[in-house]
Amino acid sequence: MAVVQKWREGMSSDNVKGLVLALSSSLFIGASFIVKKKGLKKAGASGIRAGVGGYSYLLEPLWWAGMITMVVGEIANFAAYAFAPAILVTPLGAVSIIISAVLAHIILRERLHTFGILGCILCVVGSTTIVLHAPQERQIESVTEVWDLATEPGFLFYTALVLTAVFILIYQFVPQYGQTHIMVYIGVCSLVGSISVMSVKALGIALKLTFSGTNQLVYPQTWAFTLVVITCVLTQMNYLNKALDTFNTAVVSPIYYVMFTSLTILASVIMFKDWDGQSPTQILTEMCGFVTILSGTFLLHKTKDMADGQGLSTSLSMRSLKHEEDGGFGEGIPLKRQDT
């Protein structure tokens, strides 16, 4: 009770709003995967399946309901960045994985095994740890203040490093190694994603201030951040689709989550100075919470097909056998996506 009381007293109203929006976003996004999958199954039963090139799901209302649910979730996630620091909002994206796993167990009858439950518990523990020790959101009165933060030497140096790395990856490594090394595509997505989240947060703050009566649309900085958001999101979508089309989704998802979240937290710490005023103990606790979430996410993805009472090595061996029977070549979870 004392911890809860201390948390209520120490957490600002903006942080609470950001927390509620982030959790709502995870709920909607996690549920959207299940609704869309139900729609895809229903459409596939009466037409050509999407996996073999069919588009009958576009006529299925259930699939569109899932899409609308996902859009609502993304809007809530966008709004969350306007109220709370990225170090609080971004890791909570793991909650959508829990929602998806639990709903799949209930609705789609996809069994949630013992290790899956343990993964969910780890995600909840890690998320709770971060929420209890999250830094206060910086009070900003104008989008020009965000622009000043973005043009400080520290963040400009980080941005220069990111852009240099992205250009090297796109023009040097993508043509040669894009189809064989998963880190190339995911590296581009994660690096660009860290910049896009900072721009999304800046744009969200501008809109929040505008709706509260202080018009920020008259400032050119608002439109500059908007342009950065559009450019970064389009780049992310392009290379994430390439990664998903080339490699196994079970491999892409956890690696992308780890890289994207880590780089986003680093960018936020540099730009918004989230850790200023926090003790080393608080910072270390937040990092422990983040590592706990990563562990839970990895466990959920790595053992998603395991049955109760089945060992991890046995599960991976069975995956390997099943994959070989289908014409694959990998061991355990195949890195490359296999066309059948």
Side-chain angles (χ1 to χ4, degrees):
M1 290 296 294
V3 174
V4 174
Q5 182 65 30
K6 184 178 178 181
W7 173 73
R8 285 177 178 173
E9 293 174 355
M11 200 170 192
S12 67
S13 60
D14 277 354
N15 272 24
V16 173
K17 292 175 184 176
L19 172 62
V20 172
L21 286 167
L23 292 176
S24 301
S25 169
S26 295
L27 176 62
F28 280 110
I29 292 175
S32 72
F33 287 110
I34 307 305
V35 177
K36 285 198 296 182
K37 187 165 184 177
K38 290 281 286 185
L40 288 170
K41 285 186 173 182
K42 189 174 179 181
S46 57
I48 301 175
R49 292 179 57 191
V52 293
Y55 295 95
S56 57
Y57 61 87
L58 294 175
L59 302 177
E60 175 55 51
L62 199 58
W63 184 84
W64 282 107
M67 280 298 297
I68 293 172
T69 304
M70 177 169 280
V71 170
V72 172
E74 293 295 349
I75 292 174
N77 190 55
F78 174 87
Y81 282 111
F83 292 97
I87 197 171
L88 171 62
V89 176
T90 307
L92 290 180
V95 177
S96 65
I97 300 174
I98 301 175
I99 300 297
S100 180
V102 172
L103 291 180
H105 176 77
I106 297 172
I107 299 174
L108 300 178
R109 305 302 178 187
E110 296 179 359
R111 186 167 178 77
L112 186 61
H113 50 77
T114 304
F115 281 98
I117 295 173
L118 178 60
C120 291
I121 292 173
L122 286 173
C123 288
V124 170
V125 171
S127 299
T128 304
T129 302
I130 289 179
V131 168
L132 290 175
H133 298 85
Q136 299 293 342
E137 171 69 340
R138 189 188 187 100
Q139 294 299 317
I140 295 176
E141 304 296 332
S142 171
V143 72
T144 56
E145 291 183 37
V146 186
W147 183 263
D148 291 339
L149 293 173
T151 52
E152 287 186 356
F155 191 71
L156 286 178
F157 179 70
Y158 173 79
T159 304
L161 286 179
V162 166
L163 292 178
T164 302
V166 167
F167 278 112
I168 291 174
L169 286 172
I170 290 176
Y171 293 106
Q172 185 69 32
F173 289 92
V174 166
Q176 298 182 38
Y177 305 108
Q179 296 294 312
T180 56
H181 291 71
I182 191 172
M183 297 303 293
V184 176
Y185 288 144
I186 293 182
V188 174
C189 295
S190 302
L191 287 165
V192 173
S194 66
I195 301 297
S196 72
V197 169
M198 297 303 99
S199 301
V200 163
K201 184 172 179 63
L203 185 58
I205 291 173
L207 292 176
K208 180 183 75 172
L209 292 172
T210 298
F211 291 143
S212 64
T214 308
N215 187 11
Q216 302 296 305
L217 302 181
V218 297
Y219 295 105
Q221 290 90 337
T222 301
W223 301 105
F225 283 126
T226 303
L227 181 61
V228 173
V229 168
I230 294 173
T231 304
C232 290
V233 168
L234 290 177
T235 304
Q236 277 181 271
M237 289 176 59
N238 180 36
Y239 285 95
L240 184 57
N241 285 333
K242 289 178 182 291
L244 291 172
D245 186 57
T246 306
F247 302 98
N248 193 299
T249 305
V251 180
V252 172
S253 298
I255 294 177
Y256 177 58
Y257 175 79
V258 171
M259 285 194 65
F260 169 73
T261 306
S262 302
L263 289 170
T264 298
I265 291 175
L266 175 62
S268 183
V269 168
I270 294 173
M271 179 172 170
F272 289 97
K273 302 174 179 59
D274 293 331
W275 285 344
D276 282 7
Q278 285 201 299
S279 67
T281 302
Q282 289 176 304
I283 296 172
L284 182 60
T285 304
E286 289 165 15
M287 290 297 96
C288 289
F290 179 50
V291 172
T292 304
I293 292 176
L294 297 184
S295 302
T297 304
F298 173 81
L299 194 59
L300 270 172
H301 279 280
K302 196 73 173 177
T303 62
K304 61 187 298 186
D305 296 328
M306 184 188 300
D308 282 331
Q310 182 182 11
L312 178 58
S313 60
T314 306
S315 172
L316 296 181
S317 298
M318 289 184 66
R319 286 193 193 187
S320 176
L321 178 60
K322 182 178 184 300
H323 183 58
E324 289 170 5
E325 289 173 350
D326 291 338
F329 301 95
E331 182 176 324
I333 301 175
L335 181 63
K336 288 283 288 184
R337 175 177 170 271
Q338 300 294 330
D339 294 322
T340 58

